[in-house]
Amino acid sequence: MRTFRRSRAIPREAWDECPRVLSAIGALPLLISALGCSLPPPPAEQAEAAVFNEPGLVRLDEEGPRLAQIQLGAADVREVREDLRVPGHIAVDETLTARVGSFAGGIAVECCKPVGTRVKAGDVLARLHSHEIHDGESVFWEARGHLEQRRSDLLLAEESHQRASRLYELKAGSLRHAREAEARLRSARASVAIAEAKLEQAERHLRYLGLDPEGLARSGHTGETEALHLVAVRSPIAGTVIERTVSPGSVVSQSDPLYAISDLRTLWVIADVPERHLPMLRPGLAVEVSVRAYPDRVFPARVTYVGDVLDRETRTVHVRCEVRNPGRMLKVEMFATITIRSAGSGSAVVVPVGAVQHIDGADVVFVPQGGSAFRARPVEAGRRWDGFAEIASGLRAGDRIVVEGAFRLKSELLGDSGGE
């Protein structure tokens, strides 16, 4: 493009006088060349130069749009929705989890269900040999023997009372003897009741230790079934063994956890939600759970608990969700993302997220200017969701913009700017 510029060899005063002198003398080409001057461009060329030098304008060659795969679209009006996504982790459902120990200390002689085993309620997980068993059995047998003795005394007291009563009726016995026999009968009945209570207490203690009193009574003192004399550790629920800390020969105390059983068909997802999002949360709210292992899978869940105390440092609240675990795809301690879909909150002008570019600290979109020219228009971008960006100002619904290839135009614009 031709421009009007002075030669560095011409003094400033000569340069300033150049146009006036040329117009005065007719401005011969040879003289113009000797003075180092050039004519100003015609009006059409001046307009073309202004277009190319206009800030924020990008002009591609004829093949540019096709090579850049630039596509045009229009700004649209959509319902604004702000979804909340918070990180969390998967945990067992504590309401469906049992941590099993032993009622008595001892040595594990029969075990053990390995981790991953599915068990039913009442299944034996391990058996322990314990001194408490022998003590409990001793008390049991002593109570049974005492009860048998008291029942024998009761039979004798009943016979004595009947005989004394008959003799008194026949005038062959005294009233004092009849009354003494009646007192002995009452005392024998009371002794039987006390003995029965002690035996029942001993039987309850054996059941507490996991033993079967009826089975012990049938086996007698011979111990023909050794399992009857061991403490049985049973699963209180149906589920899967997820932890085991006991092995054959382990010395076990009453405070030791031996197994953890959980029903893994339902799990918890735990997350800490920022305080400002509390209005979106409530028990029963439907949410979505996603994990990295299955990026294309969404697991429906619901909020079951919203904490009552904020974390003092992070200003977050503890939130718990319940999620079904089809096919046991979800694993405990997986990282997860909880998505809370919010209701619509009005409408706004939106464009695809890729149409918004960031240049010199400002958001811009590119609008077509005819042919292969595109202008960067400043806008105020707001919330983003589902691949769209809200435009608070700078665009109106229906305005034509570049929806694909905007990054290429940004690169061209910055490249041009860098060369100036």
Side-chain angles (χ1 to χ4, degrees), residues 145-396:
H146 186 71
L147 177 60
E148 290 177 1
Q149 182 64 44
R150 297 289 79 78
R151 284 174 175 173
S152 296
D153 294 343
L154 177 60
L155 290 176
L156 293 176
E158 288 176 345
E159 292 176 358
S160 177
H161 178 260
Q162 291 175 359
R163 184 171 55 254
S165 297
R166 189 179 307 113
L167 290 175
Y168 177 73
E169 290 175 357
L170 295 175
K171 307 298 184 182
S174 66
L175 177 61
R176 181 174 63 84
H177 289 160
R179 288 179 176 176
E180 289 177 352
E182 184 179 359
R184 288 194 295 271
L185 176 61
R186 288 196 297 268
S187 177
R189 287 173 176 171
S191 297
V192 168
I194 293 173
E196 288 176 343
K198 289 183 177 180
L199 178 60
E200 183 179 355
Q201 182 180 9
E203 290 176 346
R204 284 199 304 267
H205 183 65
L206 289 179
R207 293 191 182 95
Y208 174 81
L209 295 175
L211 301 182
D212 179 19
E214 289 77 13
L216 283 177
R218 288 193 300 269
S219 68
H221 293 280
T222 61
E224 56 189 50
T225 305
E226 182 63 23
L228 293 174
H229 302 271
L230 299 176
V231 177
V233 179
R234 300 179 183 273
S235 175
I237 63 171
T240 302
V241 178
I242 59 174
E243 292 180 18
R244 192 196 85 180
T245 60
V246 64
S247 300
S250 298
V251 177
V252 175
S253 64
Q254 290 180 334
S255 60
D256 293 339
L258 306 181
Y259 288 90
I261 314 294
S262 183
D263 186 348
L264 300 178
R265 293 176 296 178
T266 301
L267 297 172
W268 282 353
V269 185
I270 309 297
D272 294 319
V273 180
E275 178 183 4
R276 65 181 180 276
H277 297 301
L278 275 176
M280 300 176 63
L281 302 174
R282 69 179 186 280
L285 177 68
V287 299
E288 297 175 354
V289 174
S290 57
V291 295
R292 293 179 181 177
Y294 311 105
D296 300 327
R297 181 72 181 266
V298 173
F299 298 86
R302 64 183 181 90
V303 176
T304 57
Y305 171 76
V306 179
D308 298 313
V309 180
L310 284 176
D311 186 281
R312 182 177 299 177
E313 296 182 357
T314 63
R315 308 307 299 172
T316 58
V317 66
H318 200 62
V319 175
R320 185 173 68 227
C321 303
E322 183 180 281
V323 60
R324 299 291 295 174
N325 187 17
R328 298 173 66 178
M329 299 173 64
L330 300 175
K331 308 300 180 182
V332 177
E333 297 302 333
M334 267 186 171
F335 288 114
T337 299
I338 300 175
T339 301
I340 302 175
R341 302 290 184 184
S342 65
S345 58
S347 59
V349 176
V350 298
V351 298
V353 171
V356 181
Q357 300 296 318
H358 199 69
I359 300 177
D360 294 335
D363 292 323
V364 301
V365 297
F366 288 93
V367 297
Q369 296 295 295
S372 57
F374 304 90
R375 184 193 306 278
R377 178 184 296 181
V379 295
E380 182 182 349
R383 293 167 288 184
R384 289 168 166 81
W385 75 98
D386 291 346
F388 290 92
E390 176 188 10
I391 303 300
S393 63
L395 278 183
R396 295 177 299 178

